[in-house]
Amino acid sequence: MVYYKGMQAVNTLDHRFVATKESGTGMTELNVTGSGNVAVGYAGTALQRISVLVSMATVFAMGLSIRRRKCSFAHARL
């Protein structure tokens, strides 16, 4: 599996995270001991998660701004 920043691996037996890193060939590398199953997936980077929160806050603020503007126009017409 190709390595991307934000890759996570979880041991499916005890639900513990397994460290991931990029191998010399650009693939995802895991260091595990023993036997079991590991689920590997892309969870995103911290910066991506923060940017989603900032985007949501911006959309919310814009919605409030539009609502206030409509209310002030409605009061001005009376």
Side-chain angles (χ1 to χ4, degrees), residues 17-75:
F17 287 100
V18 178
T20 60
K21 65 180 181 177
E22 184 176 4
S23 71
T25 59
M27 304 302 276
T28 303
E29 184 175 300
L30 309 171
N31 292 323
V32 293
T33 58
S35 62
N37 296 318
V38 178
V40 179
Y42 182 74
T45 64
L47 182 60
Q48 288 173 325
R49 290 189 293 270
I50 291 168
S51 68
V52 167
L53 294 175
V54 169
S55 296
M56 289 172 58
T58 301
V59 169
F60 180 74
M62 288 174 64
L64 285 178
S65 175
I66 291 169
R67 185 173 178 181
R68 285 184 183 166
R69 191 172 293 166
K70 284 184 180 181
C71 288
S72 66
F73 285 135
H75 290 300

